[in-house]
């Protein structure tokens, strides 16, 4: 959770590089808020994707385990 907080803080403190305008570019507060919100949502989305991949991997492992158990039980009951 703290790692996510750090990433969100980093988004809020993004600095721009040098430009022909002296390193400063002005955007409306609404535009900046939209970009910032999208970046934060991307961070949250990446975290959710990582969590879902972990759950999928665990489910696949459980399925493989159950298939192995089923095969062992099935072979015991073959006449």
């Amino acid at each position: 959770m703290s790692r996510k907080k750090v990433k969100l803080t980093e988004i809020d403190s993004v600095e721009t590089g040098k430009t022909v305008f002296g390193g400063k570019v002005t955007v409306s507060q609404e535009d900046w808020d939209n970009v910032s919100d999208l970046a934060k949502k991307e961070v949250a989305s990446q975290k959710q994707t990582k969590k879902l991949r972990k759950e999928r991997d665990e489910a696949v492992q459980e399925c493989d385990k159950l298939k192995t158990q089923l095969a062992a039980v099935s072979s015991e009951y073959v006449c």
Side-chain angles (χ1 to χ4, degrees):
M1 178 87 115
S2 64
R3 188 174 190 164
K4 180 180 176 186
K5 223 178 223 185
V6 169
K7 287 186 178 185
L8 294 178
T9 304
E10 289 172 1
I11 290 168
D12 287 332
S13 64
V14 169
E15 294 184 26
T16 62
K18 296 292 181 189
T19 68
V20 293
F21 303 111
K24 302 220 181 241
V25 176
T26 303
V27 295
S28 70
Q29 184 65 44
E30 182 181 1
D31 287 344
W32 176 251
D33 289 343
N34 288 337
V35 169
S36 180
D37 286 345
L38 286 172
K40 290 174 184 177
K41 287 176 183 176
E42 176 62 20
V43 169
S45 176
Q46 288 176 2
K47 182 177 179 181
Q48 180 69 11
T49 298
K50 184 178 178 179
K51 178 184 171 192
L52 291 172
R53 283 186 178 139
K54 181 180 177 190
E55 289 176 6
R56 179 206 60 204
D57 292 345
E58 290 170 356
V60 167
Q61 288 176 353
E62 182 67 19
C63 182
D64 289 344
K65 180 180 172 185
L66 292 172
K67 284 179 184 178
T68 301
Q69 290 176 349
L70 178 62
V73 169
S74 295
S75 67
E76 290 176 12
Y77 292 104
V78 173
C79 298

